[in-house]
Short mmCIF file of all heavy atoms in Angstrom, two decimals:
data_model
loop_
_atom_site.label_atom_id
_atom_site.label_comp_id
_atom_site.label_asym_id
_atom_site.label_seq_id
_atom_site.Cartn_x
_atom_site.Cartn_y
_atom_site.Cartn_z
N GLY M 338 -4.47 -18.62 -35.69
CA GLY M 338 -4.30 -19.09 -37.04
C GLY M 338 -4.34 -17.98 -38.07
O GLY M 338 -4.97 -16.92 -37.85
N ASN M 339 -3.73 -18.21 -39.22
CA ASN M 339 -3.77 -17.27 -40.36
C ASN M 339 -3.36 -15.87 -39.99
O ASN M 339 -3.96 -14.89 -40.44
CB ASN M 339 -5.16 -17.31 -40.98
CG ASN M 339 -5.16 -16.74 -42.38
OD1 ASN M 339 -4.14 -16.80 -43.08
ND2 ASN M 339 -6.28 -16.22 -42.83
N GLY M 340 -2.34 -15.73 -39.15
CA GLY M 340 -1.83 -14.39 -38.81
C GLY M 340 -2.69 -13.61 -37.85
O GLY M 340 -2.53 -12.38 -37.78
N GLN M 341 -3.59 -14.28 -37.14
CA GLN M 341 -4.50 -13.60 -36.25
C GLN M 341 -4.24 -14.00 -34.79
O GLN M 341 -3.69 -15.09 -34.51
CB GLN M 341 -5.97 -13.96 -36.59
CG GLN M 341 -6.35 -13.69 -38.04
CD GLN M 341 -6.33 -12.22 -38.36
OE1 GLN M 341 -6.98 -11.42 -37.71
NE2 GLN M 341 -5.55 -11.85 -39.38
N VAL M 342 -4.66 -13.12 -33.90
CA VAL M 342 -4.53 -13.40 -32.47
C VAL M 342 -5.88 -13.18 -31.81
O VAL M 342 -6.67 -12.28 -32.25
CB VAL M 342 -3.46 -12.53 -31.82
CG1 VAL M 342 -3.83 -11.06 -31.88
CG2 VAL M 342 -3.19 -12.92 -30.38
N LEU M 343 -6.23 -14.00 -30.83
CA LEU M 343 -7.45 -13.76 -30.02
C LEU M 343 -6.98 -13.16 -28.72
O LEU M 343 -6.18 -13.79 -27.99
CB LEU M 343 -8.16 -15.11 -29.82
CG LEU M 343 -9.44 -15.08 -28.95
CD1 LEU M 343 -10.46 -14.12 -29.51
CD2 LEU M 343 -10.04 -16.48 -28.87
N HIS M 344 -7.46 -11.97 -28.38
CA HIS M 344 -6.93 -11.30 -27.20
C HIS M 344 -7.96 -10.34 -26.59
O HIS M 344 -9.01 -10.05 -27.19
CB HIS M 344 -5.64 -10.54 -27.56
CG HIS M 344 -5.87 -9.34 -28.46
ND1 HIS M 344 -5.03 -8.25 -28.43
CD2 HIS M 344 -6.80 -9.06 -29.42
CE1 HIS M 344 -5.44 -7.36 -29.32
NE2 HIS M 344 -6.50 -7.85 -29.94
N ALA M 345 -7.60 -9.81 -25.42
CA ALA M 345 -8.36 -8.75 -24.77
C ALA M 345 -7.51 -7.49 -25.01
O ALA M 345 -6.48 -7.33 -24.38
CB ALA M 345 -8.52 -9.02 -23.27
N PRO M 346 -7.94 -6.62 -25.90
CA PRO M 346 -7.07 -5.51 -26.38
C PRO M 346 -6.79 -4.44 -25.34
O PRO M 346 -5.65 -4.21 -24.94
CB PRO M 346 -7.83 -4.96 -27.57
CG PRO M 346 -8.86 -5.97 -27.93
CD PRO M 346 -9.19 -6.67 -26.65
N HIS M 347 -7.84 -3.72 -24.90
CA HIS M 347 -7.65 -2.58 -24.02
C HIS M 347 -9.03 -2.12 -23.50
O HIS M 347 -10.05 -2.59 -23.94
CB HIS M 347 -6.96 -1.43 -24.77
CG HIS M 347 -7.64 -1.05 -26.05
ND1 HIS M 347 -8.89 -0.42 -26.09
CD2 HIS M 347 -7.27 -1.24 -27.36
CE1 HIS M 347 -9.21 -0.22 -27.36
NE2 HIS M 347 -8.29 -0.73 -28.15
N THR M 348 -8.98 -1.20 -22.57
CA THR M 348 -10.21 -0.61 -22.03
C THR M 348 -11.08 -0.08 -23.14
O THR M 348 -10.60 0.56 -24.09
CB THR M 348 -9.90 0.51 -21.05
OG1 THR M 348 -9.16 0.00 -19.95
CG2 THR M 348 -11.17 1.16 -20.52
N GLY M 349 -12.37 -0.35 -23.09
CA GLY M 349 -13.29 0.13 -24.11
C GLY M 349 -13.48 -0.86 -25.24
O GLY M 349 -14.36 -0.70 -26.08
N ALA M 350 -12.68 -1.95 -25.24
CA ALA M 350 -12.81 -2.99 -26.25
C ALA M 350 -13.24 -4.29 -25.61
O ALA M 350 -13.38 -4.37 -24.38
CB ALA M 350 -11.49 -3.18 -26.97
N VAL M 351 -13.49 -5.32 -26.40
CA VAL M 351 -13.90 -6.62 -25.92
C VAL M 351 -12.98 -7.69 -26.43
O VAL M 351 -12.11 -7.44 -27.33
CB VAL M 351 -15.33 -6.93 -26.40
CG1 VAL M 351 -16.33 -5.94 -25.83
CG2 VAL M 351 -15.41 -6.97 -27.93
N VAL M 352 -13.03 -8.87 -25.85
CA VAL M 352 -12.23 -9.99 -26.32
C VAL M 352 -12.58 -10.25 -27.79
O VAL M 352 -13.76 -10.40 -28.13
CB VAL M 352 -12.52 -11.26 -25.50
CG1 VAL M 352 -11.76 -12.47 -26.08
CG2 VAL M 352 -12.08 -11.03 -24.03
N ARG M 353 -11.55 -10.25 -28.67
CA ARG M 353 -11.80 -10.32 -30.09
C ARG M 353 -10.57 -10.83 -30.84
O ARG M 353 -9.49 -10.93 -30.28
CB ARG M 353 -12.19 -8.93 -30.63
CG ARG M 353 -11.04 -7.97 -30.63
CD ARG M 353 -11.47 -6.55 -30.93
NE ARG M 353 -10.34 -5.67 -31.12
CZ ARG M 353 -10.39 -4.33 -31.05
NH1 ARG M 353 -11.57 -3.73 -30.79
NH2 ARG M 353 -9.29 -3.59 -31.25
N TYR M 354 -10.80 -11.11 -32.16
CA TYR M 354 -9.68 -11.44 -33.03
C TYR M 354 -9.06 -10.15 -33.57
O TYR M 354 -9.70 -9.14 -33.70
CB TYR M 354 -10.16 -12.27 -34.22
CG TYR M 354 -10.74 -13.61 -33.87
CD1 TYR M 354 -12.12 -13.83 -33.93
CD2 TYR M 354 -9.91 -14.64 -33.45
CE1 TYR M 354 -12.64 -15.07 -33.63
CE2 TYR M 354 -10.45 -15.90 -33.12
CZ TYR M 354 -11.80 -16.08 -33.20
OH TYR M 354 -12.32 -17.32 -32.87
N GLU M 355 -7.75 -10.23 -33.86
CA GLU M 355 -7.07 -9.08 -34.46
C GLU M 355 -5.84 -9.57 -35.20
O GLU M 355 -5.22 -10.59 -34.82
CB GLU M 355 -6.70 -8.06 -33.39
CG GLU M 355 -6.20 -6.76 -33.97
CD GLU M 355 -6.26 -5.61 -32.98
OE1 GLU M 355 -6.91 -5.77 -31.93
OE2 GLU M 355 -5.65 -4.56 -33.26
N ALA M 356 -5.44 -8.86 -36.22
CA ALA M 356 -4.26 -9.21 -36.99
C ALA M 356 -3.02 -8.98 -36.16
O ALA M 356 -2.87 -7.94 -35.47
CB ALA M 356 -4.19 -8.37 -38.26
N ILE M 357 -2.14 -9.95 -36.12
CA ILE M 357 -0.88 -9.80 -35.38
C ILE M 357 -0.09 -8.57 -35.87
O ILE M 357 0.57 -7.88 -35.11
CB ILE M 357 0.00 -11.06 -35.53
CG1 ILE M 357 -0.63 -12.23 -34.75
CG2 ILE M 357 1.43 -10.84 -35.08
CD1 ILE M 357 0.12 -13.52 -34.89
N SER M 358 -0.21 -8.26 -37.18
CA SER M 358 0.51 -7.17 -37.78
C SER M 358 0.10 -5.80 -37.23
O SER M 358 0.78 -4.82 -37.46
CB SER M 358 0.34 -7.17 -39.30
OG SER M 358 -1.06 -7.10 -39.65
#
Side-chain angles (χ1 to χ4, degrees):
N339 200 25
Q341 305 295 304
V342 65
L343 178 56
H344 69 151
H347 52 70
T348 297
V351 298
V352 175
R353 70 189 188 197
Y354 296 108
E355 189 161 347
I357 290 178
S358 58

